[in-house]
Amino acid sequence: PQFEGAQLIIGAQDKAESYDARFLISTLLVFVAKGDGEISELESNKMIDLLSSKMAIRSAESLGYLSSAIMSLSNDKDIVKTLQQIGQGLSAAERDEVFAMMLDVMAVDEKPEPGEIAAITVAGQILGFSEDVIHSRLRSMF
């Protein structure tokens, strides 16, 4: 794997796959939102708003990233490994911001479900955070 700007290139040049940091963020947001078994309309709207504002993209483009994330989560057996590789290319500040975005999505439900806590724990670990850091941030939020 190698980075070219915000893109992670995986594979040989003739069969290379390109992943964007927006793909990582979208997939992690969907993963956390879906942690309780479903994605509510409020969670969908929050994810679209976060992607649009933080990534400076249109709502329609945000929706496209979220749709791709849903498909990747259901079809890609190696999604965690791919996300970890993309996450390694983020700075500490960028990882903090992505984690904060996941907490914002989780907060939409007001009371976190056990599945969402498990999902954000995995997502935080993908970003390189320890369980102690993840749970500390969760406790401070709720």
Side-chain angles (χ1 to χ4, degrees):
Q2 64 185 27
F3 280 92
E4 292 179 9
Q7 300 270 333
L8 173 71
I9 311 299
I10 298 176
Q13 207 163 19
D14 57 336
K15 292 185 178 183
E17 291 184 60
S18 173
Y19 293 94
D20 184 296
R22 292 178 190 131
F23 172 77
L24 166 75
I25 295 166
S26 303
T27 305
L28 292 177
L29 292 178
V30 167
F31 183 70
V32 169
K34 202 174 173 187
D36 62 359
E38 65 182 24
I39 300 174
S40 71
E41 184 177 341
L42 289 173
E43 288 170 325
S44 294
N45 290 339
K46 184 65 171 182
M47 289 186 291
I48 290 169
D49 289 345
L50 284 169
L51 288 172
S52 297
S53 63
K54 302 279 185 184
M55 300 293 155
I57 56 177
R58 297 181 320 272
S59 294
E61 190 175 351
S62 297
L63 187 57
Y65 278 108
L66 294 172
S67 297
S68 294
I70 291 168
M71 296 301 293
S72 293
L73 284 171
S74 63
N75 295 332
D76 188 350
K77 294 177 280 201
D78 296 324
I79 191 68
V80 170
K81 184 178 177 185
T82 301
L83 294 175
Q84 286 173 325
Q85 290 172 330
I86 298 169
Q88 290 172 357
L90 299 177
S91 68
E94 290 167 331
R95 288 194 307 272
D96 280 339
E97 187 163 349
V98 172
F99 194 79
M101 291 169 69
M102 293 187 305
L103 289 172
D104 285 347
V105 169
M106 191 173 161
V108 169
D109 290 338
E110 293 182 18
K111 184 175 184 248
E113 298 290 326
E116 287 176 317
I117 292 172
I120 203 161
T121 300
V122 170
Q125 290 171 332
I126 287 170
L127 290 171
F129 294 110
S130 70
E131 270 191 62
D132 289 341
V133 169
I134 295 164
H135 290 286
S136 173
R137 293 201 45 196
L138 283 170
R139 279 191 300 278
S140 70
M141 183 175 173
F142 294 102

